[in-house]
């Protein structure tokens, strides 16, 4: 039986990844500051611990592990990352986690290490035109991410690759682009656009107002969680180390995204564009490399993924009303 450790297993992607690995027959240990919030973990072993502390990392990563998935990070949506208020915390917390984890994985000779980087590594200069963002993997240098969160991710990518070169660690580095789906943050200040807009639409009355940060012309693409997990597993099983984008190329302007969600909810809503942190003007995944190297492309389109996500968020909104 293969043995894997998922760091950040109490979070959105980590908790889904644990389920996925279990369904593939793995023995799985999860580690996080917290339990998954929306369903019980399926991990065989779950350590509640702070990965900024070396002793916790030493305990979590043992010799003989086949795979470690490093998803733990101090992160959130635009309200958390782009205001600047959490910069020191984000860099310090995630930096410490990655420094400890990579060192321990090399020391314990873990089979493979997956590191989740982000589309936030890409330079702002290539993402000023909402209709034509440039996010191919090689465009990351000269580096100019638009947030400290992105800078930390880029540093950590290099950290994992340096351990690969100097200490023979077998690494896989992927840059996630806006992963969404059920059982993610939806109302705690760390939610991202898909869950936040689903919540606003679910809370709105028929014809009601939905507030959107910025002019709503900024574009993004969003990848459904099941597609993300397929990509991660195919990537880890391949011989390609990355860095590689894991995202969708189905780009949409945020105001149109609100209309799509309203349509799925069968409600009419009115958009009010207000000032707020928005990040770059345009961003979408470029999937040419991942298609070429491992033959993966998304299967679930935005409407389908949003239908499933809206149903879940709407359920949470209804639960909250009766609580
Ligand atoms: P998440 O916030 O739901 O999960 C991260 C988990 O890490 C949380 O459960 C958190 O408690 C845990 N964590 C943070 N600090 C910790 C610490 N000191 N010790 C132990 N656990 C700690 O985020 P997610 O959406 O599941 O993202 C997973 C990874 O993917 C993150 O590294 C994130 O930066 C990256 N990523 C995600 C997206 C996305 O769209 N969701 C996009 C780009 C990159």
């Amino acid at each position: 039986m293969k043995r894997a450790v998922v760091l950040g297993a109490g979070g959105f992607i980590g908790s889904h990844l644990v389920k996925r690995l279990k369904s593939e027959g793995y023995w799985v240990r999860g580690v996080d500051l917290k339990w998954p919030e929306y369903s019980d973990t399926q991990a065989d072993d779950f350590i509640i611990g702070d990965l900024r502390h070396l002793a916790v990392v030493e305990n979590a990563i043992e010799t003989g592990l086949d795979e470690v998935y490093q998803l733990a990070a101090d992160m959130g949506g635009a309200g958390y990352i782009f205001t600047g208020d959490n910069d020191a915390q984000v860099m310090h917390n995630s930096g410490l986690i990655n420094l400890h984890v990579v060192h321990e994985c090399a020391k314990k000779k873990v089979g493979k290490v997956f590191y989740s980087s982000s589309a936030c590594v890409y330079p702002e200069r290539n993402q000023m035109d909402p209709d034509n963002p440039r996010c191919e993997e090689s465009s990351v240098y000269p580096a100019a991410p638009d947030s400290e969160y992105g800078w930390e991710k880029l540093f950590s990518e290099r950290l994992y690759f340096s351990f690969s070169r100097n200490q023979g660690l077998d690494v896989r580095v992927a840059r996630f682009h806006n992963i969404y789906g059920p059982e993610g943050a939806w109302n705690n200040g760390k939610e991202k656009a898909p869950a936040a807009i689903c919540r606003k639409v679910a809370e709105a009355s028929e014809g009601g107002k939905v507030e959107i940060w910025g002019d709503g012309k900024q574009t993004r693409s969003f990848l459904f969680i099941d597609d993300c997990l397929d990509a991660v597993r195919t990537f880890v099983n391949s011989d390609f180390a990355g860095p590689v984008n894991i995202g969708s190329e189905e780009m949409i302007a945020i105001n149109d995204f609100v209309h799509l969600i309203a349509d799925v909810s069968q409600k009419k809503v009115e958009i009010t564009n207000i000032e707020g942190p928005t990040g770059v003007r345009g961003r979408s995944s470029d999937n040419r490399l991942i298609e070429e190297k491992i033959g993966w492309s998304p299967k679930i389109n935005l409407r389908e993924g949003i239908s499933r996500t809206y149903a879940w968020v709407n359920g949470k909104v209804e639960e909250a009303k009766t609580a």
Side-chain angles (χ1 to χ4, degrees), residues 268-285:
K268 291 224 171 350
V269 297
E270 205 182 298
I271 299 173
T272 315
N273 291 108
I274 59 167
E275 268 198 34
T278 59
V280 293
R281 289 300 292 159
R283 175 174 290 156
S284 179
S285 187

Side-chain angles (χ1 to χ4, degrees), residues 7-15 31-35 37 49-53 56 70-76 93-94 97 115-120 149 153 175-180 184-185 190 192:
L7 306 172
F12 167 52
I13 302 173
S15 58
V31 188
D32 204 298
L33 291 168
K34 60 178 177 70
W35 296 97
E37 278 168 63
D50 188 337
L51 293 163
R52 291 173 303 176
H53 301 312
V56 172
Q70 195 333 59
L71 306 171
D74 192 355
M75 64 106 56
N93 292 344
S94 298
I97 295 171
Y115 173 60
S116 54
S117 181
S118 164
C120 289
Y149 168 77
K153 288 288 187 193
R175 296 173 181 156
F176 288 154
H177 291 242
N178 288 323
I179 316 302
Y180 74 100
K190 288 198 165 187
K192 290 181 233 86

Side-chain angles (χ1 to χ4, degrees), residues 261-272:
I261 294 175
D263 198 39
V264 162
S265 76
Q266 298 183 320
K267 269 186 198 175
K268 291 224 171 350
V269 297
E270 205 182 298
I271 299 173
T272 315

Side-chain angles (χ1 to χ4, degrees), residues 159-175:
L159 177 68
Y160 284 88
F161 282 119
S162 66
F163 271 76
S164 166
R165 287 193 304 277
N166 295 164
Q167 302 201 14
L169 190 63
D170 196 3
V171 302
R172 301 286 179 279
V173 175
R175 296 173 181 156

Side-chain angles (χ1 to χ4, degrees), residues 32-51:
D32 204 298
L33 291 168
K34 60 178 177 70
W35 296 97
E37 278 168 63
Y38 308 110
S39 61
D40 292 340
T41 184
Q42 290 181 16
D44 299 276
D45 181 28
F46 199 98
I47 299 175
I48 295 288
D50 188 337
L51 293 163

